[in-house]
Amino acid sequence: MEEKQPQQGKDDGEGKTPQTEGSCQHRDNIALLKMHKCSSSTLQNILFRFGEKHDLTFIMPPRGNYLGYPAPFEKRFAIQVPWNEYNIYTFHSRFSYRGISNMMPSDTIFITVIRDPVKMYESTFTYFRLGARYGLKGGTALRDFLQDAEGYFRSSANKQRIKNPMLYDLGLEANKMHDMSHIEKKIATLGDIFDLVLISEYFDESLILLKELMCWDLDDIVYFKLNARSSSSVRNVTPDMAKKLKHSMQVM
């Protein structure tokens, strides 16, 4: 389990947004753990625009949109710039506080965005075509999957990611995914690491909190939705299906 070591300024107030009455200090250094299917592409685009506006340096993969995924992030997964200074971390990865901190400044603000697990799982199931992976077809694929979710989990080589996608992206070790004590420790550790956790269902409100935390202008958080699905592609999740889905994501 990674432990967050106190960064310079984290405990004495210098690393947090220094504020006086009616004022705050503008921030540039930010690390977003980009979560799958949680409005993270929209948030990433806000950071892209902000970084371009202020001529900031991004941690970028040599190709594609992933930084070493599914391995937890390490410096070797990123392009190295000659001046060795970075401001924004925002590409898909599995979370590693140690790996990110090895590249980002000590006053970096850590954020992520999460979503109602039922809605997130339905979106993930459809987007990654998990039904086809298990030989389930048509509009009833998710319902059929939930009739024996644990059996399907056991049949998958990547069952930890499929069982609890958000916890997997947040870096919980695969061999501890079924251990509640480790899960609770991981959640507590993440609570100490992240300065702000945005909520997809309250995205606008979350952006206001981000604006205040970073001391940005309102124009910095204006956005267009990205990667939003058409309503016709969203599967209906009944209350019974939602109950089964929540149960399947629990430790067993």
Side-chain angles (χ1 to χ4, degrees), residues 32-134:
L32 164 68
L33 190 278
K34 189 176 185 294
M35 198 80 73
H36 287 91
K37 313 313 295 177
C38 292
S39 304
S40 60
S41 292
T42 300
L43 185 54
Q44 182 189 50
N45 191 59
I46 289 172
L47 298 186
F48 282 159
R49 190 180 69 239
F50 181 84
E52 182 177 11
K53 176 182 177 181
H54 295 280
D55 195 25
L56 303 178
T57 302
F58 290 84
I59 293 179
M60 298 186 65
R63 64 190 67 84
N65 300 311
Y66 288 84
L67 287 162
Y69 196 94
F73 177 73
E74 298 179 17
K75 186 175 182 178
R76 63 189 177 93
F77 296 142
I79 296 173
Q80 313 295 307
V81 298
W83 54 95
N84 197 34
E85 295 178 0
Y86 306 87
N87 306 107
I88 298 179
Y89 179 98
T90 187
F91 284 86
H92 269 306
S93 67
R94 280 191 72 213
F95 187 66
S96 168
Y97 176 74
R98 184 179 297 108
I100 298 171
S101 296
N102 282 340
M103 296 188 71
M104 293 291 291
S106 62
D107 65 347
T108 295
I109 295 295
F110 282 79
I111 68 170
T112 190
V113 55
I114 60 176
R115 184 181 182 186
D116 179 289
V118 172
K119 294 178 181 178
M120 187 270 186
Y121 203 95
E122 182 278 325
S123 181
T124 298
F125 192 92
T126 301
Y127 183 82
F128 290 105
R129 301 178 181 177
L130 298 184
R133 181 180 303 187
Y134 297 119

Side-chain angles (χ1 to χ4, degrees), residues 1-248:
M1 180 68 66
E2 284 184 286
E3 295 293 338
K4 182 174 182 178
Q5 300 300 318
Q7 295 181 348
Q8 182 179 359
K10 282 290 182 180
D11 289 339
D12 60 14
E14 294 177 3
K16 297 293 183 181
T17 305
Q19 296 189 12
T20 58
E21 187 175 353
S23 68
C24 62
Q25 180 175 310
H26 173 92
R27 295 279 199 160
D28 287 335
N29 302 322
I30 186 168
L32 164 68
L33 190 278
K34 189 176 185 294
M35 198 80 73
H36 287 91
K37 313 313 295 177
C38 292
S39 304
S40 60
S41 292
T42 300
L43 185 54
Q44 182 189 50
N45 191 59
I46 289 172
L47 298 186
F48 282 159
R49 190 180 69 239
F50 181 84
E52 182 177 11
K53 176 182 177 181
H54 295 280
D55 195 25
L56 303 178
T57 302
F58 290 84
I59 293 179
M60 298 186 65
R63 64 190 67 84
N65 300 311
Y66 288 84
L67 287 162
Y69 196 94
F73 177 73
E74 298 179 17
K75 186 175 182 178
R76 63 189 177 93
F77 296 142
I79 296 173
Q80 313 295 307
V81 298
W83 54 95
N84 197 34
E85 295 178 0
Y86 306 87
N87 306 107
I88 298 179
Y89 179 98
T90 187
F91 284 86
H92 269 306
S93 67
R94 280 191 72 213
F95 187 66
S96 168
Y97 176 74
R98 184 179 297 108
I100 298 171
S101 296
N102 282 340
M103 296 188 71
M104 293 291 291
S106 62
D107 65 347
T108 295
I109 295 295
F110 282 79
I111 68 170
T112 190
V113 55
I114 60 176
R115 184 181 182 186
D116 179 289
V118 172
K119 294 178 181 178
M120 187 270 186
Y121 203 95
E122 182 278 325
S123 181
T124 298
F125 192 92
T126 301
Y127 183 82
F128 290 105
R129 301 178 181 177
L130 298 184
R133 181 180 303 187
Y134 297 119
L136 304 172
K137 300 179 180 179
T140 64
L142 179 57
R143 185 192 66 190
D144 297 338
F145 171 82
L146 292 173
Q147 296 301 317
D148 185 24
E150 194 62 25
Y152 288 117
F153 290 145
R154 287 194 296 268
S155 70
S156 173
N158 198 9
K159 54 183 175 290
Q160 290 83 8
R161 175 185 178 185
I162 294 171
K163 182 177 176 67
N164 197 321
M166 286 191 284
L167 198 54
Y168 184 81
D169 281 355
L170 285 165
L172 183 66
E173 299 89 334
N175 62 353
K176 297 175 181 175
M177 190 66 73
H178 292 265
D179 187 326
M180 183 54 74
S181 65
H182 281 97
I183 290 174
E184 291 175 347
K185 289 179 181 178
K186 183 66 173 180
I187 292 173
T189 300
L190 292 170
D192 291 334
I193 289 173
F194 284 100
D195 297 278
L196 177 64
V197 176
L198 292 82
I199 306 297
S200 179
E201 286 79 13
Y202 297 93
F203 195 67
D204 291 343
E205 295 89 339
S206 295
L207 286 180
I208 294 298
L209 294 177
L210 177 63
K211 169 187 171 296
E212 295 300 311
L213 178 64
M214 301 297 292
C215 199
W216 288 354
D217 297 327
L218 190 59
D219 287 347
D220 294 326
I221 60 170
V222 174
Y223 69 93
F224 291 100
K225 281 188 177 181
L226 295 178
N227 288 352
R229 294 185 294 161
S230 64
S231 58
S232 62
S233 70
V234 179
R235 300 172 186 268
N236 179 48
V237 178
T238 66
D240 181 63
M241 290 171 63
K243 182 178 179 180
K244 289 179 178 178
L245 180 52
K246 289 178 182 178
H247 180 72
S248 72

